[in-house]
Amino acid sequence: MSQATTDLRAFMSAFPTGVAVVSTLDADRRPRGMTCSSLCSVALAPATLLVCLRSESPTLAAALERGTFAVNLLHAAASSVSRLFSSADPDRFDVIPWHLPAGACGPHLTTDAHAIADCLVSHTLDVGDHTVVFAEVERTTLSEGAMDPLLYGQRRYASWSERAALIPGARRVGR
């Protein structure tokens, strides 16, 4: 591993981010999925986001073949699901609840996600050992209850804290 790679890993660990599971179905309609923290919005019109997935991933291959995937934003109590989907466990969908609603672009992890986006692949860009997948968002599903998102940074999981979100000395409007 090069010094630049080591330095970038250390640098990026200092940048906390939300955690998602990208999910899709392969040609045999078997669910595929992987943990992803490289995700961002690109444009509102058309509604577009991007995810960065390991180029050798079966999830990426299935998403590109199918042309669709779902982005499941995990809630704070779902760190075990994040670990599961970042492992090599081939039976990951056998140990968590999921379903495929009518019109969904990939499996929905409704027990573990606080928000889900169904996406259509628009184009890709290969960058090193990853592929940047640009996708148009077809629809979103938000959980009924207020749930804190799962965060990852400094090589550990945490949850969004309302208290941490306050700026010292600032007053909250409406409270």
Side-chain angles (χ1 to χ4, degrees), residues 9-165:
R9 282 186 178 198
F11 174 78
M12 290 309 298
S13 75
F15 184 67
T17 184
V19 182
V21 168
V22 172
S23 61
T24 190
L25 299 174
D26 67 14
D28 296 322
R29 298 197 50 81
R30 289 179 304 212
R32 299 286 181 192
M34 65 183 287
T35 299
C36 175
S37 59
S38 298
L39 158 74
C40 73
S41 63
V42 175
L44 293 176
T48 304
L49 56 75
L50 68 77
V51 295
C52 299
L53 304 175
R54 188 175 48 82
S55 296
E56 299 301 316
S57 163
T59 300
L60 173 65
L64 295 181
E65 180 178 347
R66 187 173 175 81
T68 66
F69 61 90
V71 175
N72 297 269
L73 300 181
L74 299 183
H75 60 67
S79 62
S80 63
V81 173
S82 174
R83 280 189 212 76
L84 175 66
F85 278 84
S86 62
S87 76
D89 186 341
D91 301 318
R92 58 188 72 162
F93 281 96
D94 294 339
V95 297
I96 60 141
W98 64 277
H99 77 283
L100 189 67
C105 294
H108 286 197
L109 311 182
T110 53
T111 303
D112 300 299
H114 66 92
I116 302 167
D118 287 296
C119 305
L120 302 176
V121 174
S122 60
H123 62 281
T124 64
L125 176 66
D126 293 330
V127 180
D129 60 355
H130 278 66
T131 299
V132 181
V133 181
F134 294 86
E136 290 190 26
V137 177
E138 285 292 293
R139 71 178 184 184
T140 61
T141 305
L142 303 176
S143 67
E144 298 277 328
M147 304 182 93
D148 290 337
L150 179 64
L151 302 176
Y152 187 78
Q154 299 179 332
R155 295 186 175 92
R156 63 182 186 258
Y157 292 99
S159 66
W160 181 265
S161 164
E162 189 69 27
R163 185 173 176 173

